[in-house]
Amino acid sequence: MSNQTTDTGRVGECCDPDSYRTTFSDRFARRMARRYRQHGLNSTQELLVGYLTEHGIEGASILEIGGGVGEIQIELLRRGASSVTNLEISTSYEKEAGELLEGSGMSGRVERRILDIATDPDQVGEADVVVMHRVVCCYPDYERLLASAGGHARRLLVYSHPPANPLTRLVIGWDNLLRRLRRNDFRAFVHPPDAMIEIAQQQGLSLRYRHRGWSWDVVGLER
């Protein structure tokens, strides 16, 4: 397996790829990679990795949707996962992700693809584990995204999302307003938490873990 990025499908039928690349830019990717090198995973990432590790990932295949520079992937591989497929809409992460993989000795165990799984679910295979961190809030059609993610999880699905409270809605609403003024078409969303879980359950998954945090909630499901 190679960590070379391949463009294997349509990108963002309901989303503008250019706005994603503007928002999640090369500069953003450098900042994320630098933070990981200096501090490791943040607290929410630790929750996702902890949940998966507790449920067994030895030899597991990982599908991460919107994995960015790949911090979670590297840690899951270190903890026993066998391989990773990463799907992105923005191409801005690839340089930093490649350097992190090289530095961690994980090159060859990660395949990075430019593909919107909600638009083209048949273009990527199933995996034992599916991960989405800070992804659902960046996608308008959460039903389609979570249905595709859940349908690709042979054993486990874990994802994070912003809590649906007035403060979060205010912050994200203000951020969206600023983007509109700057003529950036990217928007963030606070989707209904229970409805998201229901979509995943419709794919044959059962709720096993739910963490409610100040800035991010984490949900874990198992088949």
Side-chain angles (χ1 to χ4, degrees):
M1 181 175 292
S2 170
N3 65 323
Q4 181 179 359
T5 304
T6 54
D7 188 342
T8 54
R10 293 177 296 164
V11 178
E13 183 178 82
C14 71
C15 312
D16 177 11
D18 290 337
S19 69
Y20 275 76
R21 283 190 285 268
T22 299
T23 302
F24 304 107
S25 61
D26 296 344
R27 181 179 179 183
F28 180 83
R30 288 193 297 271
R31 187 166 73 248
M32 293 299 99
R34 182 170 62 251
R35 180 180 298 174
Y36 174 60
R37 288 188 179 99
Q38 294 175 349
H39 305 292
L41 297 180
N42 63 36
S43 58
T44 306
Q45 292 171 324
E46 289 281 8
L47 288 174
L48 273 76
V49 170
Y51 169 78
L52 294 176
T53 303
E54 289 173 6
H55 284 75
I57 57 168
E58 186 69 32
S61 58
I62 309 293
L63 173 62
E64 186 167 13
I65 301 167
V69 296
E71 313 101 299
I72 290 175
Q73 303 163 19
I74 290 172
E75 297 301 325
L76 291 176
L77 289 169
R78 285 174 172 165
R79 287 162 171 77
S82 63
S83 62
V84 175
T85 299
N86 181 82
L87 306 182
E88 289 294 342
I89 292 178
S90 172
T91 58
S92 301
Y93 294 110
E94 303 314 308
K95 179 179 181 296
E96 297 296 333
E99 291 179 359
L100 283 179
L101 284 171
E102 187 70 27
S104 65
M106 300 297 177
S107 294
R109 298 176 64 184
V110 175
E111 179 185 10
R112 297 185 61 91
R113 301 173 61 182
I114 305 302
L115 175 69
D116 184 346
I117 192 173
T119 299
D120 277 325
D122 295 336
Q123 296 301 311
V124 62
E126 295 179 350
D128 298 316
V129 174
V130 176
V131 185
M132 291 192 296
H133 175 45
R134 304 199 312 179
V135 171
V136 178
C137 59
C138 299
Y139 205 88
D141 191 349
Y142 73 89
E143 296 101 331
R144 196 173 184 184
L145 177 61
L146 275 166
S148 296
H152 280 73
R154 285 194 290 259
R155 280 206 306 120
L156 298 168
L157 167 66
V158 64
Y159 64 92
S160 64
H161 66 86
N165 58 45
L167 178 59
T168 301
R169 294 184 187 280
L170 177 63
V171 171
I172 290 181
W174 176 251
D175 187 64
N176 285 340
L177 175 60
L178 292 178
R179 294 186 191 282
R180 184 177 293 111
L181 294 174
R182 294 167 183 163
R183 299 188 178 182
N184 180 338
D185 291 333
F186 174 81
R187 300 290 182 267
F189 305 89
V190 183
H191 297 305
D194 291 341
M196 289 191 286
I197 291 172
E198 184 177 349
I199 293 296
Q201 290 173 327
Q202 290 172 3
Q203 308 309 309
L205 298 163
S206 298
L207 181 65
R208 293 288 183 261
Y209 176 76
R210 193 170 186 181
H211 168 82
R212 291 179 171 89
W214 286 103
S215 56
W216 294 99
D217 290 358
V218 175
V219 177
L221 301 102
E222 186 175 7
R223 191 174 300 284

